[in-house]
Amino acid sequence: MAEQKHTSKKLRHKFWQFFWRSWAIQSSWNYERQMDMGFMYGMAPTIDEIYGEKPDTAEKLQQKKEAYHRHMAFFNCTPQLTSFVLGLSSAMEEEYADNPSTFDPDSINGVKTSLMGPLSGIGDSFFQGTIKIIAFGLGINMAQQGNIFGPILAMIISIIPSVIVTYWGGKWGYLQGKKNIQRLISNGTINRIMSLMNVIGLMVIGSMIATMIGITTPIKFGKTFVLQTTLDTIVPQMLSLGFTLGMFYLIKKKVNTAWIMAICIFGGILLSVLGIFN
Amino acid sequence: MFWKALIVGLIGVFAMFDSRLLGRENFEQPLIVSTLVGLALGDLSKGLLVGATLELVSLGIVQVGAAVPPDMVLGSVVASAFAILSHTTAQAALTVALPVAVLGQLVAIVVRMLFSSFNQLADRAIDAGKFRKARSYHIVYGPVLYGLLYFVPVFLAIYLGTDIVSGFVRMIPAWLTNGLTLASKILPAYGFALLMSTMIDKKNAVYLFLGFFIAAYGKMSVISVAIFAVILAIILNKFMGNENSAAAPASNSNDLDDLEEL
């Protein structure tokens, strides 16, 4: 029992690390891999603990480098829900360090990837789409009457769910991972969860393409023919889908990221100046 | 004016840190930012009023994925300081806020492109075994660069006067602003495509289109599609359960039930 008390203090420290590091995940948000460095930063304490601050053998150093690189992969998720992914990934990293022969480290990124789509779809809708609207809807009303409690109330409504979700997410993800991950992987459940998560993730990405890009065309012929209206009657948002699939094609063709970025920026300016899209 | 500009600049940095270091707790919303500026400059009621006005405009802006909307953080800091310092109305503040917000949008696009090169630097640091250095790109250079890129324009705007800022923003040609706006819509398409490419295969591609068409034809929000997706996944799980239990006797559905208990 005494030992348990000792470890629970250490665990709490770990959970708070997941907490703060998932809040800080967007400090280096970029177009190429989005929150990759943030996730690496979130995983750093776990990896350092496993392989040592200064690994004593060349083998350990190599493993540590691999682990750091593993978490430099593309990642994007609502910050509040990232702590869950951090917790789970930390548990998996520890599992891998304990059983390097039976545990496939690729499954860590597999789980991360299949979780981030659904989690950010749900998380952004919840925090940005629901909590924020409720909090600030109330806040605006009070502020318009000159009441200082407007903004204060808005902040209270914003912060409380956020703190609860972030802390418990990290804790739950880690404990869950510790307890079940090996069993779930060995009997194939994790593969099944991943493919079901993929279904949710892909549907959410599909809906985000339809609702959040909004590329349109200003092309008109004469007074009556507006191209966008015609396109909308066939498939609404088809231009956004078209652009996404075009980008997907470039990625599959392994076109260099720098080129794709340049195409996006200069292509965007050119297409806008020519009046083809807006 | 120096001290006022300094304080307002720091409020801008604090508001920007919200979405960088503090998990986006809505400190960056105009209502909060303007109230803080109002407190700092000694006109709370004007701050509240400007905040409520700007909040109504920006509440609909949801920053999800890679989309970069006009930056209301920068816009509302400058606009509320402007309204208080020059004793104008909240509506007049709006005309200052929007051009500054567009400027902030351009700044944000540039910073995020700059950070793409940090990825390579961090990768190289890891290869060299310099883990602390790799982390610092995220936790030191990121916030510092962001902080400077917010502090400087806000400070200058207040110190030099908002006329100069709106003059500068007016000098940015419309074609460039429009072009970058289109680019900032295409870039998320790239982000979504990256996300897809890690998840999609021939068998499951159909679900992407299912989600797209539900949202496109049904004019449904992401959350409603997510709910349908979860229900679909539960249904699929039933069918997959039958398939799997024939192949592997280990009962998979029990494991999923276990997960729910915890």
Side-chain angles (χ1 to χ4, degrees):
Chain A
M1 213 52 199
E3 197 183 323
Q4 213 163 15
K5 231 174 202 167
H6 175 72
T7 53
S8 78
K9 193 178 167 193
K10 210 176 131 199
L11 274 181
R12 261 207 304 280
H13 178 67
K14 214 177 176 66
F15 300 149
W16 281 112
Q17 263 175 341
F18 296 145
F19 181 94
W20 290 115
R21 288 176 191 231
S22 35
W23 274 19
I25 195 146
Q26 300 204 82
S27 285
S28 59
W29 199 103
N30 62 83
Y31 284 122
E32 192 192 316
R33 294 183 233 164
Q34 306 204 348
M35 303 179 182
D36 61 329
M37 287 182 272
F39 202 89
M40 176 269 284
Y41 179 69
M43 292 300 294
T46 308
I47 300 173
D48 290 354
E49 194 186 304
I50 296 173
Y51 301 106
E53 202 70 52
K54 288 200 170 67
D56 37 18
T57 63
E59 197 199 344
K60 268 192 177 172
L61 182 67
Q62 188 53 36
Q63 285 167 336
K64 186 172 171 178
K65 284 180 187 172
E66 277 166 20
Y68 263 77
H69 276 306
R70 193 153 46 236
H71 298 289
M72 284 287 287
F74 179 97
F75 188 79
N76 191 30
C77 190
T78 309
Q80 287 90 341
L81 296 181
T82 300
S83 65
F84 173 75
V85 188
L86 273 180
L88 195 60
S89 306
S90 294
M92 292 178 85
E93 278 292 346
E94 285 171 10
E95 188 66 43
Y96 172 56
D98 289 343
N99 306 303
S101 52
T102 56
F103 193 99
D104 176 13
D106 287 342
S107 66
I108 304 175
N109 269 338
V111 167
K112 267 166 67 180
T113 314
S114 55
L115 280 176
M116 68 188 176
L119 285 185
S120 49
I122 293 165
D124 283 348
S125 311
F126 180 68
F127 286 105
Q128 297 293 293
T130 311
I131 295 286
K132 189 174 97 176
I133 304 296
I134 295 171
F136 284 84
L138 291 170
I140 290 172
N141 273 337
M142 291 171 83
Q144 277 172 335
Q145 295 150 16
N147 191 337
I148 180 78
F149 286 108
I152 294 174
L153 185 72
M155 283 321 294
I156 293 173
I157 299 176
S158 300
I159 289 178
I160 290 176
S162 175
V163 169
I164 294 172
V165 168
T166 316
Y167 184 79
W168 285 94
K171 182 175 176 175
W172 196 69
Y174 182 77
L175 295 178
Q176 195 57 240
K178 271 280 165 213
K179 205 167 161 186
N180 291 317
I181 221 76
Q182 187 61 52
R183 183 169 57 93
L184 295 180
I185 285 174
S186 60
N187 70 12
T189 307
I190 207 89
N191 287 332
R192 193 159 125 204
I193 293 176
M194 271 170 66
S195 60
L196 290 176
M197 286 289 190
N198 263 346
V199 170
I200 302 174
L202 285 170
M203 278 184 72
V204 169
I205 294 174
S207 70
M208 290 203 273
I209 294 169
T211 52
M212 285 167 192
I213 298 182
I215 295 169
T216 54
T217 175
I219 293 176
K220 279 180 207 164
F221 296 109
K223 276 188 181 141
T224 47
F225 185 80
V226 181
L227 183 58
Q228 185 62 44
T229 320
T230 312
L231 294 181
D232 282 343
T233 52
I234 306 168
V235 179
Q237 294 299 333
M238 66 193 282
L239 290 176
S240 303
L241 182 65
F243 267 91
T244 312
L245 294 178
M247 291 294 156
F248 182 68
Y249 177 78
L250 293 180
I251 294 168
K252 282 282 147 200
K253 285 275 157 210
K254 303 219 185 302
V255 177
N256 188 306
T257 322
W259 277 109
I260 296 183
M261 303 282 285
I263 291 170
C264 286
I265 295 159
F266 295 109
I269 294 172
L270 188 69
L271 289 169
S272 161
V273 169
L274 293 177
I276 299 175
F277 297 114
N278 60 15
Chain B
M1 201 47 95
F2 175 83
W3 290 107
K4 283 178 181 164
L6 186 75
I7 291 173
V8 176
L10 290 177
I11 292 175
V13 172
F14 169 71
M16 181 276 309
F17 274 173
D18 173 36
S19 60
R20 302 297 126 205
L21 287 170
L22 297 173
R24 215 160 55 189
E25 305 303 299
N26 296 332
F27 283 112
E28 63 179 8
Q29 291 302 112
L31 183 63
I32 309 302
V33 171
S34 300
T35 307
L36 288 175
V37 172
L39 273 174
L41 298 180
D43 191 346
L44 182 62
S45 56
K46 179 65 89 40
L48 281 171
L49 205 62
V50 175
T53 309
L54 296 179
E55 187 66 57
L56 277 175
V57 179
S58 68
L59 197 56
I61 301 175
V62 179
Q63 187 171 353
V64 186
V68 181
D71 191 333
M72 290 306 280
V73 181
L74 212 57
S76 47
V77 175
V78 174
S80 40
F82 165 79
I84 291 166
L85 294 172
S86 58
H87 305 286
T88 44
T89 61
Q91 276 66 31
L94 194 64
T95 60
V96 177
L98 288 178
V100 177
V102 172
L103 180 70
Q105 181 182 15
L106 301 188
V107 168
I109 293 176
V110 173
V111 185
R112 288 156 171 219
M113 286 170 186
L114 213 61
F115 281 145
S116 295
S117 63
F118 277 26
N119 287 327
Q120 278 75 29
L121 295 174
D123 271 338
R124 231 174 286 161
I126 294 170
D127 281 333
K130 292 177 178 158
F131 300 106
R132 182 190 287 271
K133 192 177 171 194
R135 296 197 296 266
S136 71
Y137 287 109
H138 173 72
I139 201 65
V140 181
Y141 296 127
V144 167
L145 201 62
Y146 258 116
L148 281 177
L149 277 162
Y150 271 70
F151 180 79
V152 173
V154 174
F155 179 84
L156 288 180
I158 309 300
Y159 192 64
L160 300 174
T162 42
D163 295 354
I164 293 176
V165 180
S166 12
F168 174 72
V169 173
R170 252 177 267 127
M171 262 167 49
I172 301 173
W175 62 264
L176 184 62
T177 315
N178 292 340
L180 283 173
T181 307
L182 178 60
S184 76
K185 288 180 187 170
I186 301 175
L187 282 164
Y190 173 54
F192 289 130
L194 271 176
L195 207 56
M196 273 160 62
S197 68
T198 59
M199 303 168 81
I200 215 164
D201 54 38
K202 282 210 173 72
K203 251 168 73 186
N204 64 17
V206 63
Y207 299 110
L208 178 95
F209 293 100
L210 181 62
F212 175 83
F213 288 118
I214 293 177
Y217 283 115
K219 304 263 174 288
M220 292 217 230
S221 67
V222 174
I223 187 76
S224 54
V225 174
I227 291 170
F228 282 121
V230 170
I231 292 171
L232 179 66
I234 294 170
I235 296 170
L236 285 174
N237 179 44
K238 281 232 155 60
F239 288 115
M240 281 168 79
N242 295 336
E243 223 172 75
N244 278 14
S245 58
S251 164
N252 286 327
S253 56
N254 277 345
D255 284 323
L256 284 183
D257 292 342
D258 286 352
L259 276 180
E260 277 155 26
E261 279 167 30
L262 292 155

